[in-house]
Amino acid sequence: MKCCKIAKGQKVLGKLNDKETAKFIRSTAKNPSQRLTHINRMVHQQKFSQDPNLQGLEFSISDKVSHSSF
């Protein structure tokens, strides 16, 4: 799961140059185990399984993640 929040009125000014692209990739690249750890931490902190809005929509996010897909 990935989440990106765009500020109201934010504009894309154009293509990143090579240096900016490399910096962006380095800052976002994570190996699968690091990504899974980050996702698990976020799900636990946000308590999605207890969110009344998600429950009202009959939507749920499990607190348990399977490692078998890696």
Side-chain angles (χ1 to χ4, degrees):
M1 174 187 343
K2 296 181 183 180
C3 180
C4 178
K5 189 171 186 177
I6 307 291
K8 185 177 180 180
Q10 183 175 351
K11 296 179 183 178
V12 176
L13 300 176
K15 184 178 176 185
L16 299 175
N17 65 37
D18 291 343
K19 188 175 181 179
E20 292 169 326
T21 300
K23 183 178 179 182
F24 174 78
I25 291 171
R26 277 194 305 275
S27 70
T28 59
K30 290 182 172 61
N31 69 40
S33 63
Q34 286 176 317
R35 187 172 302 284
L36 181 60
T37 298
H38 176 76
I39 290 168
N40 283 333
R41 188 179 316 118
M42 182 198 58
V43 169
H44 178 72
Q45 289 173 343
Q46 297 300 318
K47 300 180 191 242
F48 288 124
S49 62
Q50 300 170 15
D51 187 302
N53 294 315
L54 292 178
Q55 291 172 354
L57 295 171
E58 297 181 11
F59 184 83
S60 66
I61 297 175
S62 174
D63 290 338
K64 297 181 174 88
V65 179
S66 170
H67 295 276
S68 62
S69 61
F70 293 109

